[in-house]
Amino acid sequence: MALSRRQFVGGAVAVAGATTAALGTTGFAPSTGLTPPTGLAPRTGLTPPTGFAPPTRPARLWREFEAAPSTHPQIPYVGRAGAHGGARRAPRPRVVADALTHGATPDGSADSAPAINRALAEAGERGGGTVLLPPGTYRIDDYLRIGHSGVVLRGAGSGRTKLLATRHLTELIGPYGSRYGGDKSSWSWAGGLIWLSPRARHASLVAAIRDRAWPFEGWTGNRRDEWSTLTTVRPGRRGDRAITVDDPSALRPGRLVVLRLADDAGHTLLEHMAGDGAGPQAYLWDDKTKLTSYVPYEWPVRITAVHGRTATLERPLPLDARPEWDPRLIAGAEALTRSGVVGLTLEAVETPQSPHLLDKGFNGVTFQCAYDCWAEDVVVRHVDNGFGLVAASACTLRRTRVEGRGSHHPYFCREGSHDNLVEDFRIAARTVPAPAGTQLHGINVEGLSSHNVWSRGVMETGTFDTHRGMPFANVRTGITVENDGRHGGDASAGPLYGARFTHWNVTVTNGRAGLVKIDTVAPYSATVGISEVREFDQIDVPDFTGELHARVEAYGSPGSVRPANLYEAQRALSRW
């Protein structure tokens, strides 16, 4: 039987509180919103609201993973996901500006967007720092832009500082069509009313949108041709952190580079992302035009050391580097780094949710071409789309919440976004019924995005969404979900999943499947410790023929095996 919302929220809070009391930490905040600075969930991860049994034995798959953490066939290594290698504390750059001194008004009586944007730009031009937004309500009639590295917009807490957004991105920038044709609005999956992206890259995107030359959105420009080679790379294997390059002269410790892998005519790179073998080899890739537009695969990574022709990477290689894929390190767009948004609520004026794929762009916070950036203690309300990661890597969203009248994509992760961490998150039940013709997804990942983590979450609505586009090597762990959404994606985007997708310790309160139990559709996947679920009308079939090499353990018993949280356990591995 499905739980009511009161039972769902009350049960989750009660069990989390009991666990927290034993640990001496703080548990879930009340359902009315975040309570800064304590956060959403206990440090040890979520526990099921009913039928919880303490972990009694180590999972067999975990023992296997410990023996081969960087090359396990079903479980990816994600122990360094997030900003600054998954650092627990975000940087706190010195305060360089107060938005009030630039003319912002905290009583909502006038448009404060120009003043806040001036303060953010001036902070960036001085080399970075924190811009304060004292307690109050600030009306913004424009979107806010963080385009310089090292700039943080800091409110007084999500319960004390509020931005009231009055206009959407279609009105502010213009209509944004899809590069794949049709009448879809790309504001359904792009852009934010707080938009963090490097200044030059952002300007080129906006110019292309206004010219109706619908752009690619990633690291190598609107047409994916704005890059230069730093060096070619000798063959390497998935899991390697040291690679051999042909010319190390452009490399130095601390430099952010992009690993570029180009597919060959036989699509062996796509096959490799799907785990190799007979099923991917038999798959018809050529007509998946949206999927094939996502390669070359681009993976940003920081160099940590250079010795001769050996370069050491911040994270292990996500894939093999084979000669047939022309592996090289390149320079693309200058990244936005070390920037963030902290301690505020962004509330859009409440309007009905738009019909599916026709969103106007009342969107929340989006990171684009960003690395080592973060949001913390941020709430978005009455938005079309909540928190976005678009060609963003190594970013952290911590203690974030989506609430209000209902969203299309509460969280979206797309266009080659990698190594991001979303933890202590919450999607609140919608406050008004969904209008006819709208759609709800949940925690979305698509577009060859890899090695992302969703950890310690409460989803009062939504689902585990993939819009096809073959995301691979992602982890969802320690999550409780009222699984009432639907996934998206069209046929030209290819498979729902690539290899090494893992769901670990997931409680489904209404017993509905919906891409939570993935062993029947995801190749080389792991489904461990999830609730027993049943199919509903959106029933998916495998994209690949033959044996999927998927693993299932502790089905029907969330929380019954150790570790309770896969990401936390990987962080603790001493060898890494």
Side-chain angles (χ1 to χ4, degrees):
M1 177 180 295
L3 297 179
S4 70
R5 178 171 179 257
R6 182 180 299 274
Q7 290 171 315
F8 171 76
V9 177
V13 171
V15 174
T19 304
T20 297
L23 294 170
T25 57
T26 302
F28 291 113
S31 60
T32 53
L34 294 176
T35 305
T38 53
L40 289 172
R43 300 293 306 167
T44 54
L46 292 177
T47 49
T50 57
F52 172 69
T56 57
R57 60 177 177 83
R60 183 169 58 255
L61 273 164
W62 173 251
R63 287 175 170 168
E64 293 178 8
F65 178 82
E66 284 185 300
S70 60
T71 57
H72 192 275
Q74 280 86 17
I75 299 175
Y77 175 73
V78 293
R80 293 183 60 82
H84 304 285
R88 288 301 189 199
R89 294 181 179 273
R92 294 181 66 94
R94 65 188 179 91
V95 175
V96 298
D98 186 315
L100 297 182
T101 65
H102 285 73
T105 55
D107 61 1
S109 61
D111 177 18
S112 291
I116 298 171
N117 277 326
R118 279 197 303 272
L120 293 169
E122 288 181 18
E125 289 162 3
R126 294 179 194 168
T130 295
V131 174
L132 293 181
L133 269 180
T137 296
Y138 300 83
R139 196 185 89 211
I140 56 171
D141 300 340
D142 196 358
Y143 69 104
L144 303 184
R145 298 175 281 284
I146 298 179
H148 293 84
S149 292
V151 174
V152 176
L153 178 62
R154 179 177 291 274
S158 60
R160 302 180 67 202
T161 297
K162 181 166 75 174
L163 298 169
L164 180 61
T166 63
R167 302 170 73 192
H168 50 67
L169 292 169
T170 300
E171 188 177 2
L172 294 169
I173 296 176
Y176 188 2
S178 170
R179 66 178 184 255
Y180 301 105
D183 60 356
K184 303 171 184 176
S185 167
S186 285
W187 297 128
S188 302
W189 53 76
L193 292 170
I194 302 177
W195 200 335
L196 297 93
S197 59
R199 187 173 42 168
R201 184 73 185 98
H202 184 76
S204 71
L205 285 164
V206 170
I209 293 166
R210 287 176 171 160
D211 288 344
R212 296 178 176 260
W214 315 130
F216 286 95
E217 299 156 286
W219 293 92
T220 51
N222 296 340
R223 297 187 301 178
R224 300 197 73 176
D225 58 0
E226 299 173 21
W227 56 276
S228 58
T229 297
L230 300 174
T231 181
T232 50
V233 176
R234 296 293 178 90
R237 299 297 299 272
R238 176 171 68 91
D240 291 347
R241 286 192 60 196
I243 60 173
T244 302
V245 301
D246 289 318
D247 179 6
S249 61
L251 307 183
R252 65 181 184 278
R255 178 163 191 177
L256 184 64
V257 298
V258 176
L259 173 68
R260 182 182 190 270
L261 300 176
D263 204 5
D264 59 10
H267 298 296
T268 59
L269 176 58
L270 290 173
E271 291 174 4
H272 181 51
M273 294 175 183
D276 295 309
Q281 289 173 6
Y283 187 78
L284 179 61
W285 301 98
D286 285 329
D287 64 345
K288 309 303 186 297
T289 52
K290 186 173 183 178
L291 174 67
T292 54
S293 77
Y294 296 139
V295 285
Y297 174 79
E298 296 167 353
W299 180 64
V301 67
R302 203 175 294 281
I303 302 288
T304 60
V306 181
H307 298 289
R309 292 196 297 135
T310 299
T312 303
L313 308 177
E314 185 176 23
R315 294 175 173 85
L317 282 179
L319 297 164
D320 291 352
R322 300 179 186 172
E324 55 266 36
W325 303 330
D326 188 25
R328 57 185 64 213
L329 300 181
I330 66 170
E334 182 178 352
L336 184 77
T337 65
R338 301 173 289 105
S339 294
V341 181
V342 180
L344 57 82
T345 290
L346 171 64
E347 180 176 312
V349 293
E350 187 171 356
T351 57
Q353 186 178 347
S354 297
H356 191 218
L357 301 178
L358 298 178
D359 295 348
K360 298 294 186 182
F362 274 125
N363 297 343
V365 181
T366 290
F367 296 81
Q368 187 160 8
C369 295
Y371 193 98
D372 280 342
C373 293
W374 69 94
E376 187 166 355
D377 181 28
V378 176
V379 176
V380 296
R381 185 178 298 134
H382 304 322
V383 292
D384 293 336
N385 303 281
F387 292 89
L389 297 161
V390 181
S393 292
C395 294
T396 295
L397 308 182
R398 180 176 288 130
R399 294 192 293 120
T400 57
R401 180 182 176 103
V402 181
E403 62 183 31
R405 53 85 158 153
S407 301
H408 180 193
H409 296 98
Y411 290 84
F412 55 99
C413 178
R414 51 177 294 270
E415 200 76 12
S417 290
H418 314 291
D419 304 301
N420 298 293
L421 171 63
V422 182
E423 68 177 355
D424 299 333
F425 68 95
R426 193 180 205 112
I427 303 174
R430 62 187 308 139
T431 55
V432 296
T438 61
Q439 186 63 274
L440 164 69
H441 298 304
I443 50 175
N444 157 264
V445 60
E446 60 181 285
L448 301 182
S449 296
S450 67
H451 296 84
N452 302 288
V453 177
W454 293 260
S455 172
R456 298 198 306 261
V458 172
M459 300 171 62
E460 297 175 19
T461 191
T463 194
F464 285 12
D465 175 40
T466 161
H467 271 39
R468 298 191 174 273
M470 203 168 67
F472 66 95
N474 297 285
V475 168
R476 292 158 170 159
T477 181
I479 298 172
T480 298
V481 54
E482 177 79 0
N483 194 18
D484 60 0
R486 302 175 71 89
H487 76 77
D490 57 58
S492 69
L496 284 164
Y497 294 102
R500 297 180 301 285
F501 216 108
T502 301
H503 290 168
W504 190 289
N505 186 19
V506 176
T507 298
V508 182
T509 55
N510 61 349
R512 201 179 82 160
L515 294 188
V516 176
K517 184 175 182 289
I518 56 175
D519 58 294
T520 61
V521 291
Y524 290 95
S525 63
T527 303
V528 177
I530 72 162
S531 302
E532 188 171 339
V533 292
R534 62 185 180 275
E535 297 289 354
F536 66 112
D537 60 285
Q538 189 176 33
I539 297 174
D540 295 292
V541 298
D543 293 292
F544 303 110
T545 57
E547 174 60 51
L548 292 178
H549 306 282
R551 303 279 294 276
V552 181
E553 188 172 350
Y555 177 52
S557 302
S560 65
V561 293
R562 298 192 304 270
N565 185 291
L566 180 62
Y567 166 70
E568 296 288 347
Q570 289 196 16
R571 277 182 54 87
L573 287 177
S574 59
R575 76 190 71 183
W576 293 92

